[in-house]
Amino acid sequence: MTASPRPGPPSHPAPAGSLDSTAQLMTRITAQLTSQLGHLAPGGLPRRPRPRSLSRPAARRPPTLVAVAHGSRDPEALRTVTALVDRVRALRPDLPVRLGHVELNHPLLADTLAALHGEAVLVPLLLGRGYHIKRDLPDAAAAAPHLSVRVAAPLGPHPLLAEALHARLAEAGWTPGWTSPGAAPGRTPGEAPGGLSAAGVVLAAAGSRDRDSAADTARTAALLSARLGGVPVLPGYASGTGPTVADAVRALTGRGRGRIAVASYFAAPGRFATQCAAAAPGIAAAPLGDHAAVARLVVHRYEEALASAPMSHPAVTVGV
């Protein structure tokens, strides 16, 4: 009788998803290692998990540039300074720019400052040191304790103003032919060759009893003279202690200058500018107004004030 074979261990079907070959096992191990190594930075250190969203910190808002005009009853003055402020905005679209007036026009400086917060730089649209620069503007800044304020230097004197004055003279009819050569041998200093055909310029300004203001105007006269190739430029004032525009015209005539023009050293039209233009014996230029060089100078004074010192004091006056 033949013995039947002894039954072996029971066989079970392989579960679904099990590895059925060495190749599949190696593939899975390799995938796991690759995944683990992907979490390591160079040098074997664990990588820092990346945040789902990276938010940049908010950029610091630059101090507000407050252009400070004097103000005038002449309606053209407000239109002119508004146009100048628009030019400044076009030059620096990143800056908040506001307008304020010392008097006569709205918005008044006090109202402009009351509506602001944070930091501000007052840039006077004034042409020299005087009462407004030394007293009115610092007082206005001190009356706004909620702000950190700097008062920038006045616009003048500066070569950019000489550039604008020259341009306004050219617009009024000044040509290079007005520029005369230097004094001929044997003539006294300042005496012009060619008799009354030689040119001279009166720099018509508002005037002030402040000596610093007069010094600033005299410096601008010298800058304009250099810009015009050495043509003599004398200040003449609409107010203060003089000399007047008429006095300056007579002084130039006495030095042999017969072709005399008046350069209007005013930021905008107004009573004084009109008064001085009426005293011109020849060419009378328009005020500085919204000339591009003036707009560049406003931005320069703002940047100059920011670079001078940290804004740590409620009211800091710069360059005066």
Side-chain angles (χ1 to χ4, degrees), residues 146-308:
H146 63 292
L147 294 174
S148 292
V149 180
R150 293 187 201 184
V151 181
L155 296 184
H158 195 278
L160 284 171
L161 290 182
E163 177 184 334
L165 288 165
H166 186 187
R168 293 303 190 212
L169 282 168
E171 291 168 1
W174 178 279
T175 64
W178 277 66
T179 303
S180 61
R187 295 184 180 274
T188 59
E191 184 182 355
L196 295 182
S197 63
V201 173
V202 176
L203 183 65
S208 172
R209 293 183 176 85
D210 190 302
R211 293 182 179 180
D212 289 334
S213 177
D216 289 344
T217 303
R219 174 61 182 154
T220 299
L223 290 170
L224 180 58
S225 176
R227 178 93 186 180
L228 298 176
V231 169
V233 179
L234 298 182
Y237 299 103
S239 66
T241 59
T244 65
V245 171
D247 292 336
V249 168
R250 284 191 290 269
L252 287 169
T253 302
R255 293 166 59 175
R257 305 283 167 171
R259 302 178 66 191
I260 300 172
V262 171
S264 187
Y265 195 43
F266 298 94
R271 178 170 62 90
F272 282 170
T274 301
Q275 172 185 321
C276 291
I283 287 174
L288 294 161
D290 64 336
H291 191 276
V294 181
R296 298 201 305 273
L297 182 54
V298 171
V299 173
H300 171 71
R301 291 302 193 206
Y302 170 88
E303 294 173 342
E304 185 180 60
L306 284 183
S308 63

Side-chain angles (χ1 to χ4, degrees), residues 3 44 61 89 94 98 106 125 129 140 154 191-192 225 276 283 307 319:
R61 187 174 185 268
R89 290 192 180 106
D94 59 309
R98 301 291 183 269
H106 292 283
L125 305 183
R129 294 168 292 174
E191 184 182 355
S225 176
C276 291
I283 287 174

Side-chain angles (χ1 to χ4, degrees), residues 31 36 68 84 91-92 100-101 126 144 156 173 218 225 240-241 271-272 280:
Q36 293 297 324
V68 184
L84 175 60
L91 284 175
R92 287 292 302 274
H101 293 86
L126 305 171
S225 176
T241 59
R271 178 170 62 90
F272 282 170

